[in-house]
Amino acid sequence: MHLFCHEHPDTLVVETAVTDARPGKVALAQSPFYPGGGGQLADRGTVRWSGGEAKVTGFELSAGKVWLLLDTQAEISGAIEAAVDAGFRRMMRQLHTGTHVLNALVFQQFDGALVTGVQMAEDGTARMDFDLQGADNERLRALEGPMNDLIRQDIAVSTAYVPMHEAHAEHGLIRSRSVAPPPTPDGKIRIVEIAGLDRQACGGTHLASTGESPTVRILKIDNKGRHNRRIRIALSEASTP
């Protein structure tokens, strides 16, 4: 589906209207929140209306609507302000962009190895699992320097939509062995491109350029079965929100 945060990633506060409400949850005409998915944690934030304020505790996708789950049972109506936690969003964008840089290097240097899992954490760390049978862990650890070189180059990051059949036909555009972003209602899939480095399907939020991220560290490499390698990374300037 098309999300407001995809088209307006820097708009973190929106004045909008309630389109539907139930005790403890609300659907909005426009929502700036990323509801989570693809290993990226959902946004945090608040909603404010004439009768009070509530924290957003989660999201529920149902019947084409994105419901905001709230820490109140109040039924909300009318005008509302929805505000994303800017610090948490920024950290998720940094982590997600960093995983794409790592993914690009692994794909290029290890014969098109596919991602078998990814998860970002609220402490500024992330793990990526790759199908890498017999890979040399020291070669993987040595990717830290090239990753940070690419971050410092401040490479532009952009997005586009292509028809689903084209995405499946282009080698390397869908990198995950098991999942891909859901298509839009008109049958297209969202593509994230780091200019000259990487181009792949993804539904998450990213930086406008790699240089907006701090450098990263490779913390650990684990063998998870005969085929799987798990690479753990951390933002060098991350702090728990």
Side-chain angles (χ1 to χ4, degrees), residues 190-201:
R190 184 171 180 261
I191 304 300
V192 174
E193 180 172 4
I194 303 176
L197 175 68
D198 188 56
R199 188 168 182 259
Q200 62 174 287

Side-chain angles (χ1 to χ4, degrees), residues 36-54:
Q40 181 178 333
L41 298 178
D43 277 335
R44 300 172 176 178
T46 57
V47 294
R48 303 178 182 91
W49 68 102
S50 60
E53 177 177 315

Side-chain angles (χ1 to χ4, degrees), residues 197-214:
L197 175 68
D198 188 56
R199 188 168 182 259
Q200 62 174 287
C202 185
T205 63
H206 304 80
L207 301 171
S209 65
T210 60
E212 295 178 15
S213 175

Side-chain angles (χ1 to χ4, degrees), residues 212-231:
E212 295 178 15
S213 175
T215 56
V216 300
R217 294 174 290 130
I218 292 181
L219 301 177
K220 189 177 182 182
I221 298 172
D222 293 317
N223 296 346
K224 294 292 183 179
R226 190 171 59 146
H227 291 272
N228 217 42
R229 293 293 185 277
R230 176 168 293 174
I231 304 176

Side-chain angles (χ1 to χ4, degrees), residues 4-52:
F4 181 90
C5 64
H6 286 164
E7 309 305 323
H8 308 279
D10 296 314
T11 301
L12 302 183
V13 181
V14 172
E15 300 284 346
T16 186
V18 172
T19 59
D20 204 350
R22 302 285 188 275
K25 61 183 182 180
V26 65
L28 305 179
Q30 288 183 321
S31 170
F33 298 101
Y34 178 66
Q40 181 178 333
L41 298 178
D43 277 335
R44 300 172 176 178
T46 57
V47 294
R48 303 178 182 91
W49 68 102
S50 60

Side-chain angles (χ1 to χ4, degrees), residues 45 59 75 121 140 153 185 187 222 226 237:
F59 300 87
E75 287 196 39
L140 292 170
Q153 287 176 33
D222 293 317
R226 190 171 59 146
E237 300 171 10

Side-chain angles (χ1 to χ4, degrees), residues 104-146:
L105 291 173
V106 171
F107 188 78
Q108 292 167 9
Q109 297 185 25
F110 292 85
D111 301 319
L114 296 179
V115 175
T116 56
V118 59
Q119 185 61 58
M120 294 156 226
E122 63 181 15
D123 62 355
T125 65
R127 65 160 175 83
M128 291 197 80
D129 294 355
F130 295 93
D131 184 355
L132 285 167
Q133 184 175 8
D136 181 344
N137 286 355
E138 289 308 308
R139 277 188 67 202
L140 292 170
R141 190 175 299 280
L143 296 177
E144 180 178 303

Side-chain angles (χ1 to χ4, degrees), residues 36-87:
Q40 181 178 333
L41 298 178
D43 277 335
R44 300 172 176 178
T46 57
V47 294
R48 303 178 182 91
W49 68 102
S50 60
E53 177 177 315
K55 288 185 178 180
V56 178
T57 61
F59 300 87
E60 178 183 294
L61 276 65
S62 176
K65 294 180 181 179
V66 179
W67 291 89
L68 281 59
L69 307 182
L70 309 174
D71 67 348
T72 176
Q73 292 299 301
E75 287 196 39
I76 305 168
S77 62
I80 195 169
E81 179 188 86
V84 175
D85 181 323

